[in-house]
Amino acid sequence: MEKKKVLIGMSGGVDSAAAALLLREAGYEPVGCTLRLYDNEDIGEPAEGTCCSLEAVEDAREACRKLGMDHYTFNFSGQFRRQVMDEFVAAYQAGRTPNPCVQCNRAVKFEALARRADELDIPYIATGHYARVDRQGERWRLLRGADRRKDQSYFLYPLSQGLLRRLLLPVGAYDKPAIRAMAASAGFASAGRPDSQDICFVPDGDYTGFLQRYGGTKLVPGDFVDEAGRVLGRHRGLPCYTTGQRRGLGVSADRPLYVLRKDASRNQVVLGGGEQLWSRVVYAEAFQWVSLPAQAGPLPVTAKTRYSQTEASGILYPEADGMVRVAFDSPQRAVTAGQSLVCYQGEAVVGGGIITGAEG
């Protein structure tokens, strides 16, 4: 019986290498590919361990050699530049704090895999993400990874039913120590490498510098103000700040002050006390339903407003034109425009959207 082929995105890291090994052991014929997402001359050499570094590409090739797999490198740098890097710059210039990993999954990575798989006549695609996929009736569901500490379902909510039905996520059933042990036994060079914490195209973590170098963003000073509009001081430029920030403000006050929000139309940063950072109602746009079809009425969910947060219970209210609001049972801290609101029911991802604001 002919083995079913699967095109797997090989980042050069331990997770995708282990995923390829698991697929082969499960009886598939994996074919490796690495997506070249940008040209180094745009920003310099990427951070070690990210999917664009030269070391990572070579590690991906070596893992494929060890497994007897074909390996391809595909250049999607133009699409990545337009749909991820340029969007990242535009979001910051509009006063938001974006999550480029969500945007990459939404606009580039999985669509690119599927497109190349079609060209190679390969029915399945796979990655090393810590999440799972199953089928319930006619609906394909995106589920959390078994290792809650590494669960990456938050980043995958933009995936369509067409992608989910052909997507394999082998490492989602394992925890990270088991994956590292598996990779070490196979002799993969990536087995002991620490996980990268950097955005791949901002290797030094200096977002403001990237916005200036790559995006041509000008830092325009403006006013720090309180909720009443009283001027408290001068800021260095909107991209230098994010909601919840306390350090580096340079404003003297009789209490600790935090960034509450940014007002791009007035070039102002609104400051206030820590008690003002809490919101019960969160609004999001471009909401994509995943494990459930689009709902017309209120839906009990758990949700979080950034990847690192613990979920909290609330009610999801669909609104017109892809907008939603979630009324949380308890207030959420430092809700940030541009981040993703992702909702769950049990193990399943209900859907997600981009946060536009919060209140209450």
Side-chain angles (χ1 to χ4, degrees):
M1 183 176 178
E2 185 178 359
K3 293 182 179 180
K4 292 182 178 179
K5 286 188 174 183
V6 52
L7 184 65
I8 177 169
M10 301 286 288
S11 67
V14 62
D15 300 321
S16 56
L21 176 61
L22 287 166
L23 287 168
R24 195 185 66 169
E25 291 178 346
Y28 292 91
E29 182 182 342
V31 176
C33 74
T34 301
L35 304 181
R36 193 71 180 171
L37 296 180
Y38 59 83
D39 297 319
N40 290 0
E41 55 265 27
D42 284 340
I43 61 164
E45 178 61 18
E48 287 189 10
T50 61
C51 59
C52 294
S53 70
L54 298 176
E55 176 192 36
V57 173
E58 184 51 41
D59 284 349
R61 290 194 185 115
E62 179 59 25
C64 289
R65 282 195 289 267
K66 284 182 179 294
L67 294 173
M69 295 165 48
D70 290 334
H71 177 269
Y72 299 90
T73 300
F74 299 125
N75 187 349
F76 278 83
S77 59
Q79 185 177 345
F80 185 81
R81 186 168 55 251
R82 290 188 304 272
Q83 296 188 271
V84 179
M85 295 169 68
D86 291 352
E87 289 294 325
F88 181 85
V89 171
Y92 263 103
Q93 290 175 340
R96 295 187 174 192
T97 303
N99 188 318
C101 295
V102 169
Q103 177 63 9
C104 181
N105 290 333
R106 178 198 303 274
V108 181
K109 190 173 291 182
F110 284 84
E111 292 290 349
L113 269 180
R115 196 182 317 160
R116 288 297 186 251
D118 289 341
E119 292 170 0
L120 295 167
D121 197 26
I122 295 176
Y124 296 102
I125 60 174
T127 70
H129 285 92
Y130 284 83
R132 294 169 293 151
V133 176
D134 77 356
R135 185 175 181 179
Q136 189 173 77
E138 295 301 311
R139 194 82 182 175
W140 292 89
R141 302 193 304 165
L142 174 65
L143 309 177
R144 313 168 190 273
D147 186 345
R148 289 294 187 90
R149 296 166 300 178
K150 299 299 295 183
D151 171 41
Q152 294 174 303
S153 60
Y154 176 91
F155 300 106
L156 302 182
Y157 76 81
L159 300 186
S160 67
Q161 287 289 297
L163 288 170
L164 288 175
R165 69 168 48 95
R166 65 190 301 192
L167 177 61
L168 304 175
L169 298 172
V171 305
Y174 296 86
D175 62 22
K176 187 75 175 198
I179 290 298
R180 288 199 181 280
M182 195 181 304
S185 295
F188 295 141
S190 58
R193 184 177 300 131
D195 294 337
S196 173
Q197 302 300 315
D198 297 306
I199 294 174
C200 65
F201 57 85
V202 191
D204 57 2
D206 180 8
Y207 304 139
T208 303
F210 169 80
L211 294 170
Q212 292 174 297
R213 292 190 306 272
Y214 172 80
T217 302
K218 305 297 183 184
L219 297 184
V220 180
D223 290 331
F224 284 121
V225 299
D226 63 15
E227 288 276 38
R230 289 185 291 264
V231 175
L232 304 175
R234 295 285 286 174
H235 68 68
R236 295 182 293 120
L238 294 185
C240 301
Y241 308 94
T242 190
T243 301
Q245 181 176 336
R246 176 184 174 188
R247 296 184 178 180
L249 302 181
V251 175
S252 298
D254 57 3
R255 60 172 179 159
L257 293 177
Y258 300 82
V259 174
L260 302 183
R261 62 184 178 276
K262 298 185 287 187
D263 185 339
S265 65
R266 293 182 172 88
N267 192 29
Q268 293 178 337
V269 178
V270 182
L271 305 182
E275 74 281 358
Q276 295 173 275
L277 282 172
W278 298 86
S279 307
R280 282 187 179 272
V281 180
V282 177
Y283 299 91
E285 64 183 3
F287 192 85
Q288 181 158 331
W289 297 89
V290 184
S291 300
L292 296 177
Q295 304 291 296
L299 188 70
V301 296
T302 58
K304 56 184 179 178
T305 61
R306 65 181 68 209
Y307 173 65
S308 59
Q309 284 184 334
T310 302
E311 295 159 44
S313 59
I315 303 295
L316 170 64
Y317 294 91
E319 298 184 344
D321 301 322
M323 299 287 295
V324 302
R325 60 186 165 93
V326 170
F328 285 94
D329 295 343
S330 57
Q332 304 301 297
R333 186 180 185 277
V335 177
T336 304
Q339 293 289 298
S340 290
L341 171 70
V342 181
C343 302
Y344 297 81
Q345 279 194 336
E347 294 293 295
V349 178
V350 170
I354 305 299
I355 295 170
T356 58
E359 64 182 15

